[in-house]
Amino acid sequence: MSSRRLITPSERSKLDPFVVATGDASPRDQRDLMERPFFSLAKAKRTAPILYQTGDVCVEVYAVPEHGMATIWDADVLIWAASQIVEAENLGLKTSRFLRFTPYQLLIAVGRQTGARDYKLLKGALARLQATVIRTSIRQGEHWRRHQFSWINEWEECARRDGRVEGMEFVLPDWFYRGVIDRSLVLTIDPAYFSLTGGIERWLYRVARKHAGRQPRGWLFEVAHLHEKSGSLAKPADFAIDLRRIAARQPLPGYRLSIERRERRELLRILPSKSFTAPVDGAVNHLGTSGVHTIGTPGVPVSGFRECKPQLTLWPGNTIACPNLESNLESNCCSGAARLADNTDTRAQPPTEHPSQPSLPLPGRKTGGKR
């Protein structure tokens, strides 16, 4: 009796493909990923896990030695995917977790070059995104469940016999996809974000965009708290030095940074400036799967790289139209009266003055607001 290996069918066979063909799309980021430590901030390979917990929020990130942990530069793939999904849904198109696209589309959109080396780096990023394992309680309800997944369930490149890559496919995890199609969990970001070269700079911009928005008095973080939220392997003192250097250079698009000190605490204030170049629009409204059944390279006789160039340009410069005024109970901010600690319920009683508490709110701050 011969033994047969059980072959599990690909997840793609159960999903209708979303063929990326919308052209330009304003870059959008998923809010759950914008401030919590989901990615390595270093370009060197990281295998040490990230273990972060505050209140009911738990984030655990594990890497395999072969590939290392997904980096914040690898996260550009997820930002691009979220941008395309939101843009398609806003145009009335149906989407799914199964994306078909050309590498040229992705690389141009995130400000990369399109040489052979860049395609190789893209495949390395996809490998790390698939190999990285995340376990989190975020968006898992009140029963303290933990959802485990990888940033990409599976991926594949479609190549010709001569080795030229004509297209790529990957399947996003359900946790991330549902966070993208939820209208309250996506924010538009500045295209200049992709030009930031430092890992801490990139992470800090996402924190600034999520918390400060365009609030006149900005947001104030305790440096020690930021270090914990970043998941950085740097020593707290070295992390603080990096923040001071970043504040001296002012590299964040749309925000100004300043270091403040209160007694023995070192604080970082993030203030919005007038140099925003990206619009803020509504998030997507519904969930669906595409009925498209063909690969996303229509009209391209030889290759899906250069023929797409007319519709693939960097996003036009605009201005962010609305502030981000959402009230986030897991932030560490201070500008007036004290607020309760991370992830505690503030509905029971109003904030009170408490000088020893590192988290302080902005006076007169409103909740809600258009994304």
Side-chain angles (χ1 to χ4, degrees), residues 136-242:
T136 182
S137 61
I138 298 172
R139 288 190 274 120
Q140 292 304 306
E142 58 185 13
H143 301 296
W144 191 240
R145 296 184 301 168
R146 295 189 183 185
H147 194 72
Q148 181 167 308
F149 57 92
S150 294
W151 293 121
I152 290 179
N153 290 2
E154 57 178 288
W155 67 278
E156 185 175 287
E157 64 177 355
C158 308
R160 297 169 51 182
R161 290 186 177 181
D162 61 3
R164 171 173 283 186
V165 179
E166 290 188 327
M168 279 189 170
E169 303 174 349
F170 61 63
V171 178
L172 296 169
D174 185 69
W175 184 90
F176 176 78
Y177 180 67
R178 290 188 177 277
V180 171
I181 63 173
D182 187 328
R183 63 168 56 245
S184 65
L185 295 178
V186 177
L187 288 175
T188 305
I189 63 174
D190 196 309
Y193 163 80
F194 297 113
S195 66
L196 296 175
T197 57
I200 295 179
E201 292 176 4
R202 283 175 158 243
W203 178 81
L204 198 57
Y205 171 81
R206 299 170 88 182
V207 171
R209 176 66 187 96
K210 184 176 187 296
H211 287 291
R214 295 194 65 186
Q215 301 174 73
R217 297 193 63 186
W219 210 262
L220 198 61
F221 288 93
E222 186 169 351
V223 170
H225 187 72
L226 279 176
H227 177 260
E228 180 183 359
K229 290 165 72 70
S230 72
S232 172
L233 289 177
K235 297 178 181 179
D238 294 335
F239 183 84
I241 292 174
D242 288 336

Side-chain angles (χ1 to χ4, degrees), residues 21-169:
T22 57
D24 295 335
S26 297
R28 297 167 174 93
D29 208 348
Q30 208 281 327
R31 283 177 47 187
D32 292 324
L33 276 59
M34 293 178 74
E35 66 157 332
R36 299 185 180 98
F38 280 106
F39 303 98
S40 170
L41 304 186
K43 292 183 178 179
K45 180 187 291 187
R46 172 172 176 169
T47 57
I50 294 175
L51 304 175
Y52 173 79
Q53 184 167 340
T54 174
D56 293 336
V57 173
C58 171
V59 174
E60 301 174 9
V61 185
Y62 299 94
V64 297
E66 180 182 358
H67 299 288
M69 184 179 295
T71 70
I72 199 164
W73 293 272
D74 300 336
D76 288 355
V77 173
L78 301 178
I79 294 176
W80 175 83
S83 306
Q84 294 297 329
I85 290 171
V86 172
E87 185 71 16
E89 295 269 1
N90 285 345
L91 293 174
L93 305 176
K94 292 184 178 180
T95 63
S96 77
R97 297 186 290 116
F98 175 18
L99 276 71
R100 280 178 174 170
F101 60 97
T102 64
Y104 180 84
Q105 289 174 301
L106 194 159
L107 291 171
I108 287 295
V110 299
R112 308 282 179 89
Q113 299 297 316
T114 55
R117 178 177 178 272
D118 300 281
Y119 287 99
K120 182 177 179 180
L121 292 175
L122 173 59
K123 289 188 284 187
L126 294 175
R128 284 186 294 273
L129 289 167
Q130 184 182 23
T132 300
V133 176
I134 302 92
R135 185 182 303 152
T136 182
S137 61
I138 298 172
R139 288 190 274 120
Q140 292 304 306
E142 58 185 13
H143 301 296
W144 191 240
R145 296 184 301 168
R146 295 189 183 185
H147 194 72
Q148 181 167 308
F149 57 92
S150 294
W151 293 121
I152 290 179
N153 290 2
E154 57 178 288
W155 67 278
E156 185 175 287
E157 64 177 355
C158 308
R160 297 169 51 182
R161 290 186 177 181
D162 61 3
R164 171 173 283 186
V165 179
E166 290 188 327
M168 279 189 170
E169 303 174 349

Side-chain angles (χ1 to χ4, degrees), residues 4-26:
R4 293 185 178 180
R5 187 178 69 175
L6 180 62
I7 300 178
T8 304
S10 168
E11 187 177 9
R12 292 171 295 172
S13 64
K14 303 177 183 179
L15 297 169
D16 291 326
F18 164 44
V19 179
V20 176
T22 57
D24 295 335
S26 297

